[in-house]
Amino acid sequence: MSLLRLDIHQLRNLQASSLRPDPHINLIVGPNASGKTSLLEAIYLLGRGRSFRTPRSADLIAHGTDRFSVAGRIFREEREISLGVGFAEGERRLKLDGRIVDARAELLHALPVQFIDPTLHTLLGDAPKARRQFLDWGTFYAETDYLPAWRRYRRALEQRNAVLKSGRREAAILWGRELVKYGKIIEICRRRYVEALQIRFKEVAEQAELGTELELRYLPGWAGGKSLEAALHDDLDRDIRHGCTHSGPHRDDFTLYDAGRPVRRRLSRGQMKLLTCVLALVQTCLPARPVCLLIDDLASELDLENQALLTDLIVHFNIQIFITATHPEALPRLGPRAGRTFRLERGVITPN
Ligand SMILES: Nc1ncnc2c1ncn2[C@@H]1O[C@H](COP(=O)(O)OP(=O)(O)O)[C@@H](O)[C@H]1O
Ligand SMILES: [Mg+2]
């Protein structure tokens, strides 16, 4: 799979842009505020139906206009497919192969996109939300049972939290059974996924000489050793007091260990960024279908040595990649290996 063509209309500072990307490495170079992140945002929108910067589609409309659109053509399973995302008159429209689709999941299947932002080193830090999203995205592609179970779990969680707030103990117990039913499926899927990720990650990390004792571990979102059923039972009084569910896969997490100790807080920002970039690269290669990877400001936090290491890995992964940089010299090793370079200047894109 690769993105063959991209047309952007009135998205942030990109007024009207068209590009024909390279199937492998694309470099996007431009000064600050030229529109580099907006260009990655456009590709992300096509594959996810929403932005990584804002939940409000209206924010994406170029100032002074009243609509935006992004259209793409991808090559997949021996044929070309068109994709489109637009927003006008307060309404978002998703299109796949000329027809309007309701669910974002259809776009997710058509164009798997992963985004690495410049603050990626924080992924392995304190806040688990980003790790859960990372886990979610990967498990969605790896396990077909995952999405339906997750949807039902989310619904049951909302219902349980609502009845907890009104102190309805019996109803909370009933909704708890739903949580257990779907929570078990989610746990199995995520556990299997982290194991698969761990195997590939370990291989790549060892080849790149990043360490021989790196290990990813799935951490279920309830007290160790207990079943989810038992955790919900034991938590019931506390859940009623706080009006929310403390245990369950909505609190899941994973940690990276090195020689049995969590890497968090032990490594420098550069080392963390390198390891998380490798993790994200490995992740994009796990789904059965190829993925488009977006890396914003690759050079930030990475010294030249780590950058060179990552570049060597990137060129060996057979996926389509879009990488941004403020100037070509920021990526001395990658620049010459890019299939295509695009220059951005105040929202105007020109191929090099
Ligand atoms: N809705 C919008 N309409 C017009 N310009 C916008 C909008 N949202 C953001 N911008 C501007 O677009 C420019 C490009 O932003 P960005 O893509 O983040 O640039 P870069 O990543 O190259 O630094 C910035 O000057 C920003 O202020
Ligand atoms: Mg930017």
Side-chain angles (χ1 to χ4, degrees):
M1 192 259 350
S2 72
L3 187 60
L4 302 173
R5 189 189 162 100
L6 179 70
D7 293 289
I8 305 168
H9 197 58
Q10 296 175 179
L11 181 101
R12 297 205 187 262
N13 73 333
L14 306 172
Q15 280 299 330
S17 312
S18 291
L19 56 148
R20 290 174 185 279
D22 184 76
H24 190 197
I25 298 175
N26 295 277
L27 188 59
I28 297 146
V29 181
N32 282 334
S34 56
K36 302 180 296 300
T37 305
S38 304
L39 180 54
L40 299 187
E41 201 174 19
I43 301 171
Y44 189 94
L45 267 171
L46 273 186
R48 302 262 190 134
R50 65 175 177 215
S51 160
F52 50 71
R53 288 204 277 199
T54 170
R56 289 175 305 274
S57 300
D59 294 351
L60 303 169
I61 299 175
H63 297 152
T65 68
D66 64 354
R67 62 194 58 215
F68 78 80
S69 64
V70 181
R73 289 196 78 74
I74 54 174
F75 189 72
R76 213 187 107 195
E77 287 156 10
E78 305 299 309
R79 69 183 193 99
E80 281 190 30
I81 299 174
S82 65
L83 286 176
V85 175
F87 188 80
E89 288 155 10
E91 226 179 286
R92 184 187 67 176
R93 271 201 174 177
L94 312 176
K95 271 178 150 185
L96 180 60
D97 238 2
R99 69 193 164 86
I100 298 204
V101 291
D102 293 328
R104 286 197 313 115
E106 295 210 42
L107 294 187
L108 287 165
H109 282 296
L111 177 65
V113 176
Q114 183 59 303
F115 172 65
I116 297 183
D117 83 5
T119 62
L120 188 74
H121 57 273
T122 59
L123 181 75
L124 296 170
D126 291 324
K129 192 167 169 230
R131 285 191 293 282
R132 267 197 294 276
Q133 283 170 352
F134 183 88
L135 203 55
D136 256 346
W137 185 82
T139 317
F140 167 81
Y141 288 104
E143 302 278 342
T144 46
D145 291 343
Y146 184 67
L147 184 65
W150 179 237
R151 282 185 173 145
R152 301 182 96 138
Y153 180 88
R154 282 270 299 272
R155 199 178 145 256
L157 183 64
E158 277 167 22
Q159 299 288 339
R160 187 174 190 266
N161 287 343
V163 298
L164 285 169
K165 282 191 178 74
S166 51
R168 291 159 59 200
R169 179 175 284 265
E170 288 308 312
I173 292 171
L174 285 178
W175 282 114
R177 287 190 195 138
E178 290 276 299
L179 288 192
V180 170
K181 182 173 169 192
Y182 298 110
K184 274 186 185 155
I185 300 173
I186 295 169
E187 183 196 355
I188 292 168
C189 291
R190 285 182 174 167
R191 205 179 273 287
R192 221 167 19 210
Y193 176 68
V194 173
E195 276 164 21
L197 191 62
Q198 155 69 8
I199 292 169
R200 276 295 278 142
F201 177 67
K202 204 168 161 55
E203 267 170 28
V204 174
E206 280 178 19
Q207 271 166 20
E209 296 180 7
L210 296 174
T212 54
E213 292 186 83
L214 291 165
E215 192 198 345
L216 283 173
R217 278 189 217 157
Y218 166 66
L219 305 173
W222 58 95
K226 275 190 206 175
S227 67
L228 178 55
E229 218 158 0
L232 288 172
H233 176 267
D234 295 351
D235 281 351
L236 190 55
D237 287 334
R238 184 164 67 121
D239 285 357
I240 289 177
R241 265 200 316 279
H242 292 97
C244 70
T245 305
H246 289 85
S247 289
H250 58 290
R251 295 276 170 93
D252 274 1
D253 199 353
F254 70 87
T255 305
L256 180 62
Y257 291 85
D258 188 9
R261 292 196 295 162
V263 297
R264 154 183 333 170
R265 294 195 206 97
R266 285 181 46 218
L267 298 180
S268 71
R269 286 152 74 105
Q271 286 170 310
M272 291 279 246
K273 173 143 181 182
L274 179 64
L275 279 177
T276 36
C277 275
V278 173
L279 189 58
L281 261 178
V282 169
Q283 187 192 41
T284 54
C285 296
L286 267 192
R289 70 195 62 136
V291 166
C292 185
L293 179 62
L294 315 172
I295 309 182
D296 203 10
D297 201 359
L298 175 73
S300 84
E301 309 285 350
L302 287 182
D303 59 22
L304 284 178
E305 194 187 330
N306 284 345
Q307 220 193 80
L309 204 152
L310 196 60
T311 302
D312 291 346
L313 279 177
I314 285 173
V315 296
H316 283 105
F317 277 84
N318 190 21
I319 52 176
Q320 189 176 35
I321 309 189
F322 293 81
I323 296 168
T324 70
T326 43
H327 46 281
E329 307 82 63
L331 297 171
R333 188 116 159 179
L334 192 90
R337 286 145 108 176
R340 245 166 247 180
T341 300
F342 299 94
R343 288 194 178 266
L344 252 169
E345 198 74 54
R346 291 200 202 128
V348 179
I349 303 169
T350 36
N352 221 12

